[in-house]
Amino acid sequence: MKDLSQGSIPKHLITMATPMMIGMFIQTLYFIVDLYFVGKLGAAALAGLSLAGNAMFLIFALTQILNVSTASLIAHAVGAKQHHEANDIFNQSMMLSSVIGVVVCILGYLSAETYLSNISQDPETIAMGLTYLHWFIPCMALQFVMVSISAALRGTGIVKPTMIIQTLSILLNIVLSPILIEGFGTGYAMGIAGAGLASSLSVIFAVILLCYYFKVAEKYIYIDFSLWRIDLPRIKKLLVIGLPAGGEFFLMFIYMGSIYWLIQPFGADAQAGFGLGSRIMQSLFLPAMAIAFAAPAIAGQNFGAKNYARVKETFTWTAIMTCSFMTLITLACLAQPELMLQGFTDNNNVLLTSTVFLQIICFNFIPSGLAFTCSGMFQALGNTVPALISTAVRLTTFIIPAIWLSQQAQFTIEQLWYVSVATVCIQAAVSLYLLKREFKKRLSTQPQENLDTLPTKEVMKSPPL
């Protein structure tokens, strides 16, 4: 356990964000490696991989329920020095993650074909996506256990072991991908099915290592099967915080699915180009997202310890750092987007769609950084409903004009990217307004005795929102 209620906040952010960024980058590499090898199989295979990969947003929505709530509640318990509460929350989270993982695995196999048929008109793309999903679904199901353990460690201020294990996992994936996809060294090429199998085997390896580490090394919280019984008050706590956060990602799943649906008439090349461009964009977001994801543990522990000035200071530093990174990658996308896409495909139509996408969509990077920051602070405060509201506003303001534009004679894909930029700016503004209101409601009545325990300089230097 690491006490984040003391010491330099910028240092805490960097210390926690660095291994988290590496871990997130490694997790993203699962898809990047698949994109690289599957891209050689043709546009239909790349489009099928992209459509199937979008299903991960639905998995992210479900895992986010446990990810956000587990980290937030354990951080609060650690800050308040409530060791038993932290351990009880962790075991409830592990119980729920195990059950949900089994259910997701079953439903995934039953509904995969229906999902793909609704967002693509190309039979070859649907077939490719279905083949990939059949081998990739175990990877999605195992995400729940891995997320619960990682979130619990993050809530206690520990992130390095997760990064190391994910690094080993992606190295295994990189080794397996050419062997399974192209038949390198074996002569048996599985094609796109090999990409799904490589990812699933790598995640199985990661889960085994993570469970082993947790068993032999972690002492502050631990698995206790006697606590794996239905504890309604704690489950309610997890769901109250987690469901809105999961809803936020579910809306993103709808948003991405809507784009794939809207660009169906432009063919597999357009869907593949959007899928490639969006994956590259998500990879570029990683430094900013890592900082934003580190903030809830820091602000959460300080909120639990009633160090309210440090909660606001965490927001300020997080916003500065995320927006700085977003500014740099905006300039990079405006200058040389082609360099980021080289090697993934030789299809000129796919490359053109991806290039134009990055050049336009990069204008929403800075407001996205602000939205990430606000979302992290809502998690720290234990109220994720405002983040859900701001995401719902974004989806609504995108879907309505996007559908109208798609029915016009002069409809182009680029129009969707411009609408997306505008709606992210709206989302950032709504998030900032809701966070200011949340701060006023939750942090405006700091106890005087708590103020007396803080260094004078630290209280004075914490800027108001």
Side-chain angles (χ1 to χ4, degrees), residues 110-375:
L110 293 176
S111 61
E113 186 172 4
T114 301
Y115 159 70
L116 291 168
S117 299
N118 285 332
I119 57 176
S120 179
Q121 298 175 346
D122 182 56
E124 187 178 1
T125 297
I126 295 172
M128 288 287 187
L130 189 61
T131 300
Y132 176 76
L133 273 179
H134 279 170
W135 291 95
F136 186 68
I137 285 173
C139 170
M140 295 194 293
L142 286 169
Q143 294 294 322
F144 294 90
V145 171
M146 191 156 66
V147 160
S148 285
I149 297 176
S150 300
L153 290 173
R154 191 169 71 252
T156 62
I158 299 173
V159 292
K160 190 175 180 179
T162 304
M163 180 270 293
I164 294 174
I165 290 171
Q166 287 179 330
T167 301
L168 295 174
S169 175
I170 189 57
L171 290 175
L172 177 62
N173 190 43
I174 290 172
V175 171
L176 289 176
S177 288
I179 294 174
L180 297 176
I181 296 174
E182 298 182 341
F184 181 78
T186 66
Y188 180 69
M190 294 180 65
I192 195 170
L197 178 58
S199 294
S200 291
L201 290 175
S202 300
V203 171
I204 291 172
F205 174 72
V207 169
I208 292 173
L209 283 184
L210 196 56
C211 290
Y212 176 76
Y213 163 81
F214 204 84
K215 181 179 179 180
V216 300
E218 181 55 33
K219 304 300 181 185
Y220 188 80
I221 50 177
Y222 50 88
I223 295 175
D224 184 350
F225 289 110
S226 68
L227 298 176
W228 285 40
R229 59 183 186 276
I230 296 177
D231 185 339
L232 290 179
R234 289 188 174 88
I235 290 176
K236 182 178 179 181
K237 282 184 179 181
L238 288 166
L239 295 180
V240 165
I241 296 175
L243 281 175
E248 186 180 355
F249 268 80
F250 179 71
L251 292 180
M252 289 305 300
F253 166 72
I254 295 177
Y255 166 78
M256 295 291 289
S258 298
I259 293 180
Y260 281 117
W261 178 71
L262 289 166
I263 65 177
Q264 285 182 83
F266 297 98
D269 287 353
Q271 290 187 321
F274 168 65
L276 175 59
S278 61
R279 290 295 183 194
I280 298 299
M281 179 188 70
Q282 291 163 19
S283 301
L284 294 173
F285 278 6
L286 292 181
M289 292 178 67
I291 294 171
F293 287 0
I298 300 169
Q301 283 196 21
N302 283 284
F303 181 70
K306 295 182 170 55
N307 292 336
Y308 298 139
R310 287 173 61 85
V311 174
K312 290 186 177 182
E313 188 180 351
T314 302
F315 164 76
T316 301
W317 279 109
T318 305
I320 291 171
M321 291 181 180
T322 55
C323 290
S324 296
F325 275 113
M326 289 300 197
T327 300
L328 292 176
I329 63 174
T330 297
L331 296 175
C333 286
L334 288 173
Q336 293 291 336
E338 301 88 352
L339 293 178
M340 306 173 193
L341 302 167
Q342 289 181 357
F344 289 103
T345 180
D346 295 327
N347 187 308
N348 290 330
N349 291 332
V350 173
L351 287 173
L352 179 60
T353 300
S354 298
T355 299
V356 173
F357 170 79
L358 288 176
Q359 287 180 320
I360 297 175
I361 212 72
C362 68
F363 288 104
N364 76 16
F365 287 1
I366 294 175
S368 291
L370 288 173
F372 291 153
T373 300
C374 293
S375 181

Side-chain angles (χ1 to χ4, degrees), residues 413-443:
I413 295 179
E414 291 77 14
Q415 292 171 347
L416 295 179
W417 314 152
Y418 287 116
V419 173
S420 180
V421 170
T423 58
V424 172
C425 292
I426 294 172
Q427 179 189 15
V430 172
S431 294
L432 286 169
Y433 167 76
L434 293 176
L435 183 61
K436 183 177 180 179
R437 189 179 69 174
E438 199 71 12
F439 275 178
K440 184 177 181 181
K441 180 171 63 176
R442 290 174 175 259
L443 308 183

